[in-house]
Amino acid sequence: MDAYRVEPGTKIRLSDHDSAACSPGDRADKGARKMEKLAMALYDLQERLYAEHRHKVLIILQGMDTAGKDGTIRHVFRHMNPQGVRVACFKKPTQPEADHDYLWRVHMQTPGAGEIVIFNRSHYEDVLIQRVHRMVPKNVWSRRYDHINAFERMLAEEGTTIIKFFLHIGYAEQKKRLLERLENPDKQWKLRPEDAAERKLWPAYAKAYEAVLERTSTPWAPWYIIPADHKWYRNLVISTIMVATLKGLDIKRPKAQFDLSDFQLD
Amino acid sequence: MDAYRVEPGTKIRLSDHDSAACSPGDRADKGARKMEKLAMALYDLQERLYAEHRHKVLIILQGMDTAGKDGTIRHVFRHMNPQGVRVACFKKPTQPEADHDYLWRVHMQTPGAGEIVIFNRSHYEDVLIQRVHRMVPKNVWSRRYDHINAFERMLAEEGTTIIKFFLHIGYAEQKKRLLERLENPDKQWKLRPEDAAERKLWPAYAKAYEAVLERTSTPWAPWYIIPADHKWYRNLVISTIMVATLKGLDIKRPKAQFDLSDFQLD
């Protein structure tokens, strides 16, 4: 688990990280038995987190197109109670969003007490797509790493636990997944005309992600580089990290809010 | 299923509706086998609804304290994809909410295209708790049934499917559940000091609910009175109604948004 955590100050080359890594011992059933246990643990921890109404948890999912952000949400977070779990998708900003600074719409979606919020894409797009497509000049995007660290630090110091997952897939795996979408009529709706052009920018995105991972993995908001070519292994690793992190929060059983001896019923 | 639907114009006496009703044939495994099938159907329908990005679905849950609103969310809606399903809880209005009309905060939480939103309590509290506790005078709350019908009609005519569940428990069952909370240290946090006093107002709440069911069950937003003393039966009936309603929407497989023959990959 710690193997996938990015230590602050580490130099990152994505090509040094094996996107197809997995645990050979779990291959037979694709980790199904372990996943079942983890899903139950996660359900239980989330119930207690919700009941205690104290901790706030923010999960950030980033990755190249087809890396499996939607699939992770579907498989890892589906068994939790939707009351207390929320997904926020950050797409092309609307006019009022674009009229504000880039953290404005993000701040509004951060978790409240007892809540787990999953960001499907995030403020990191503002140093990824915006950098790669030169939507803002370098002197603008290059200042943002510090803004982001300061923003996340404030959230953490005010009680938010932040975990950031970079879903790492290989260039060949992306092609496979795009072709799957092209050929399977049930998946064609997921293709966007820009997907092919975006794929041509892979090296530029890789470079932008390396900068994100180097500059914004902090003690208060660490990045994990998740091998994501094998979907089952991706789910297993993310679930394991989630369970360990939530267990570390020391969630207490909430108490009654008043003197129960006063409680009389007819 | 239709047996539990309130036909517009029907006179309602809650005491005529058996809160402990259940299907004897499913008693042995508490409907577990049927529930599994329904949960899978619901998962599948919701995925397609989300992909199609056309229909909007609004579920309203109401009921006396301990009627099982939270439990219904946990059991019926947990297996759907949290991306595309959202729960909105309506508690005591905040100051900005109270500064507006009572439908203002509700309108903001209505579902968008492809989304299923579950209201845990709703604008109906504005003709329930507000009426029972005389928080507004009769000439104010009595006009609200018409507002609500007009509001829901607009939502429906603009593409929202609305299903309203009244979770019907008996007076004795409520006592059992409150005592369970009192005696089980894991559940004591759920008790509120006002629960005992609220229980004393049962007849006033029953009368207010009868008015709601009589006046706001419409062809575009029907109420269902769900026997809820048996939790497993409550879940079974709600799941059945959900599956039938979603199947009736004729959700189509979404198409690619552009000419796929233009799509070239390296």
Side-chain angles (χ1 to χ4, degrees), chain A residues 26 187 205 246:
Chain A
D26 297 314
K187 293 190 171 179
Y205 273 108
L246 295 182

Side-chain angles (χ1 to χ4, degrees), chain A residues 43 74 78-79 83 120, chain B residues 43 74 78-79 83 120:
Chain A
Y43 171 72
R74 190 160 51 238
R78 197 178 99 214
H79 299 285
Q83 184 155 286
N120 185 345
Chain B
Y43 171 72
R74 192 161 50 237
R78 196 177 99 214
H79 300 285
Q83 184 155 284
N120 185 345

Side-chain angles (χ1 to χ4, degrees), chain B residues 82-154:
Chain B
Q83 184 155 284
V85 174
R86 184 158 55 83
V87 178
C89 288
F90 295 97
K91 299 187 175 165
K92 189 168 181 290
T94 61
Q95 192 59 52
E97 288 172 353
D99 286 347
H100 292 80
D101 69 84
Y102 66 101
L103 293 175
W104 182 75
R105 63 173 183 162
V106 169
H107 206 160
M108 276 196 277
Q109 298 287 353
T110 50
E115 206 179 19
I116 297 180
V117 171
I118 301 137
F119 280 4
N120 185 345
R121 304 189 185 270
S122 65
H123 43 293
Y124 286 99
E125 293 297 332
D126 298 285
V127 286
L128 289 163
I129 191 171
Q130 295 222 356
R131 169 179 173 174
V132 169
H133 284 276
R134 302 175 202 274
M135 294 153 80
V136 291
K138 179 170 182 178
N139 72 318
V140 169
W141 61 253
S142 64
R143 289 185 304 228
R144 290 182 172 168
Y145 304 102
D146 289 340
H147 305 160
I148 289 173
N149 287 339
F151 172 64
E152 291 179 352
R153 178 172 207 146
M154 180 281 291

Side-chain angles (χ1 to χ4, degrees), chain A residues 58-74:
Chain A
L58 175 59
I59 313 298
I60 295 180
L61 294 180
Q62 285 285 162
M64 303 278 195
D65 290 339
T66 77
K69 298 179 287 295
D70 294 350
T72 298
I73 294 170
R74 190 160 51 238

Side-chain angles (χ1 to χ4, degrees), chain A residues 43 47 51 70 73-74 78-80 83 87 120 175 186 188-189 193 196 199 253-254 258 260 264 266, chain B residues 43 51 70 73-74 78-80 83 87 120 175 186 188-189 193 196 199 253-254 258 260 264 266:
Chain A
Y43 171 72
E47 281 283 287
D70 294 350
I73 294 170
R74 190 160 51 238
R78 197 178 99 214
H79 299 285
M80 297 198 203
Q83 184 155 286
V87 179
N120 185 345
K175 183 173 186 176
D186 275 334
Q188 286 170 352
W189 66 276
R199 178 168 162 79
R253 183 163 69 186
F258 63 106
L260 291 177
Q264 301 289 339
D266 294 324
Chain B
Y43 171 72
D70 294 351
I73 294 170
R74 192 161 50 237
R78 196 177 99 214
H79 300 285
M80 296 197 203
Q83 184 155 284
V87 178
N120 185 345
K175 183 172 187 179
D186 276 334
Q188 284 170 353
W189 66 276
R199 179 169 163 79
R253 182 164 70 188
F258 63 106
L260 291 177
Q264 300 290 338
D266 294 326

Side-chain angles (χ1 to χ4, degrees), chain B residues 7-265:
Chain B
E7 289 314 313
T10 323
K11 178 98 189 130
I12 299 291
R13 283 186 161 280
L14 283 180
S15 52
D16 295 343
H17 294 257
D18 181 8
S19 62
C22 66
S23 49
D26 297 315
R27 254 181 193 282
D29 69 346
K30 295 193 168 178
R33 208 148 6 137
K34 277 193 188 168
M35 265 307 283
E36 206 171 310
K37 272 191 197 167
L38 289 166
M40 281 178 57
L42 214 45
Y43 171 72
D44 197 59
L45 286 158
Q46 186 252 322
E47 281 283 287
R48 287 166 50 209
L49 184 109
Y50 178 76
E52 195 198 25
H53 200 77
R54 184 164 63 102
H55 297 284
K56 325 183 225 294
V57 176
L58 174 60
I59 313 298
I60 295 179
L61 295 180
Q62 286 284 161
M64 302 279 194
D65 290 339
T66 77
K69 297 180 288 293
D70 294 351
T72 298
I73 294 170
R74 192 161 50 237
H75 292 287
V76 176
F77 297 99
R78 196 177 99 214
H79 300 285
M80 296 197 203
N81 188 342
Q83 184 155 284
V85 174
R86 184 158 55 83
V87 178
C89 288
F90 295 97
K91 299 187 175 165
K92 189 168 181 290
T94 61
Q95 192 59 52
E97 288 172 353
D99 286 347
H100 292 80
D101 69 84
Y102 66 101
L103 293 175
W104 182 75
R105 63 173 183 162
V106 169
H107 206 160
M108 276 196 277
Q109 298 287 353
T110 50
E115 206 179 19
I116 297 180
V117 171
I118 301 137
F119 280 4
N120 185 345
R121 304 189 185 270
S122 65
H123 43 293
Y124 286 99
E125 293 297 332
D126 298 285
V127 286
L128 289 163
I129 191 171
Q130 295 222 356
R131 169 179 173 174
V132 169
H133 284 276
R134 302 175 202 274
M135 294 153 80
V136 291
K138 179 170 182 178
N139 72 318
V140 169
W141 61 253
S142 64
R143 289 185 304 228
R144 290 182 172 168
Y145 304 102
D146 289 340
H147 305 160
I148 289 173
N149 287 339
F151 172 64
E152 291 179 352
R153 178 172 207 146
M154 180 281 291
L155 293 179
E157 290 180 354
E158 294 289 321
T160 304
T161 300
I162 305 173
I163 320 174
K164 302 183 293 199
F165 296 113
F166 169 65
L167 309 184
H168 180 37
I169 56 166
Y171 188 66
E173 178 67 19
Q174 189 189 54
K175 183 172 187 179
K176 211 180 103 194
R177 294 185 185 187
L178 286 171
L179 289 176
E180 224 170 270
R181 291 185 182 181
L182 189 64
E183 284 150 21
N184 181 344
D186 276 334
K187 293 190 170 178
Q188 284 170 353
W189 66 276
K190 287 189 180 180
L191 272 188
R192 301 165 309 155
E194 63 268 32
D195 285 344
E198 285 292 278
R199 179 169 163 79
K200 290 210 172 81
L201 297 170
W202 181 283
Y205 273 109
K207 198 174 151 194
Y209 265 114
E210 287 169 351
V212 161
L213 295 164
E214 282 175 13
R215 299 201 49 186
T216 65
S217 196
T218 56
W220 58 86
W223 275 107
Y224 292 86
I225 300 177
I226 307 293
D229 281 359
H230 296 287
K231 294 173 183 174
W232 64 267
Y233 189 65
R234 168 200 79 199
N235 295 339
L236 201 62
V237 173
I238 292 179
S239 300
T240 304
I241 293 169
M242 285 296 303
V243 167
T245 306
L246 294 181
K247 273 191 179 161
L249 292 182
D250 183 31
I251 302 164
K252 289 185 181 62
R253 182 164 70 188
K255 290 196 185 114
Q257 303 145 6
F258 63 106
D259 183 353
L260 291 177
S261 61
D262 293 344
F263 198 81
Q264 300 290 338
L265 283 184

Side-chain angles (χ1 to χ4, degrees), chain A residues 15-264:
Chain A
S15 52
D16 295 342
H17 294 257
D18 181 8
S19 62
C22 66
S23 47
D26 297 314
R27 252 181 195 282
D29 70 346
K30 296 192 168 178
R33 208 146 9 134
K34 278 194 188 168
M35 266 306 282
E36 207 171 311
K37 272 190 197 169
L38 288 165
M40 279 177 59
L42 214 45
Y43 171 72
D44 198 58
L45 285 159
Q46 186 252 321
E47 281 283 287
R48 287 166 49 209
L49 184 108
Y50 179 76
E52 195 199 23
H53 200 78
R54 183 164 64 102
H55 296 284
K56 324 181 225 294
V57 177
L58 175 59
I59 313 298
I60 295 180
L61 294 180
Q62 285 285 162
M64 303 278 195
D65 290 339
T66 77
K69 298 179 287 295
D70 294 350
T72 298
I73 294 170
R74 190 160 51 238
H75 293 287
V76 177
F77 298 99
R78 197 178 99 214
H79 299 285
M80 297 198 203
N81 189 343
Q83 184 155 286
V85 175
R86 184 159 55 83
V87 179
C89 289
F90 294 97
K91 299 189 174 162
K92 190 170 179 291
T94 62
Q95 193 59 50
E97 288 171 352
D99 286 347
H100 291 80
D101 70 84
Y102 67 100
L103 292 176
W104 181 75
R105 62 172 182 162
V106 169
H107 206 159
M108 276 194 279
Q109 298 286 352
T110 50
E115 207 179 19
I116 296 181
V117 171
I118 301 138
F119 280 6
N120 185 345
R121 301 187 187 272
S122 65
H123 43 294
Y124 285 99
E125 293 298 331
D126 298 287
V127 287
L128 289 163
I129 192 170
Q130 295 222 357
R131 169 178 174 174
V132 169
H133 284 278
R134 303 174 201 273
M135 293 153 81
V136 291
K138 180 171 182 178
N139 72 318
V140 169
W141 61 254
S142 63
R143 291 186 301 229
R144 290 183 172 168
Y145 303 102
D146 289 340
H147 305 160
I148 289 173
N149 287 338
F151 171 64
E152 291 179 354
R153 178 171 208 147
M154 180 279 292
L155 293 178
E157 290 179 353
E158 294 290 321
T160 305
T161 300
I162 306 173
I163 320 175
K164 302 183 293 200
F165 295 113
F166 170 64
L167 310 184
H168 180 37
I169 56 164
Y171 187 67
E173 178 66 20
Q174 189 189 54
K175 183 173 186 176
K176 212 181 101 193
R177 293 186 185 186
L178 285 171
L179 288 176
E180 225 170 270
R181 291 185 181 180
L182 188 64
E183 283 150 21
N184 181 343
D186 275 334
K187 293 190 171 179
Q188 286 170 352
W189 66 276
K190 287 190 179 178
L191 273 186
R192 301 165 309 154
E194 63 267 33
D195 284 344
E198 285 292 278
R199 178 168 162 79
K200 290 208 172 82
L201 297 170
W202 181 284
Y205 273 108
K207 199 174 151 192
Y209 265 114
E210 286 167 349
V212 160
L213 295 164
E214 282 174 13
R215 299 201 50 187
T216 64
S217 196
T218 55
W220 57 87
W223 276 106
Y224 292 86
I225 299 177
I226 307 293
D229 281 359
H230 296 289
K231 294 173 183 174
W232 64 266
Y233 188 65
R234 170 200 77 200
N235 295 338
L236 201 61
V237 173
I238 292 179
S239 300
T240 304
I241 293 169
M242 286 294 306
V243 167
T245 306
L246 295 182
K247 274 191 180 162
L249 292 182
D250 183 31
I251 302 163
K252 290 188 180 60
R253 183 163 69 186
K255 290 193 185 116
Q257 304 145 9
F258 63 106
D259 183 354
L260 291 177
S261 61
D262 292 344
F263 198 81
Q264 301 289 339

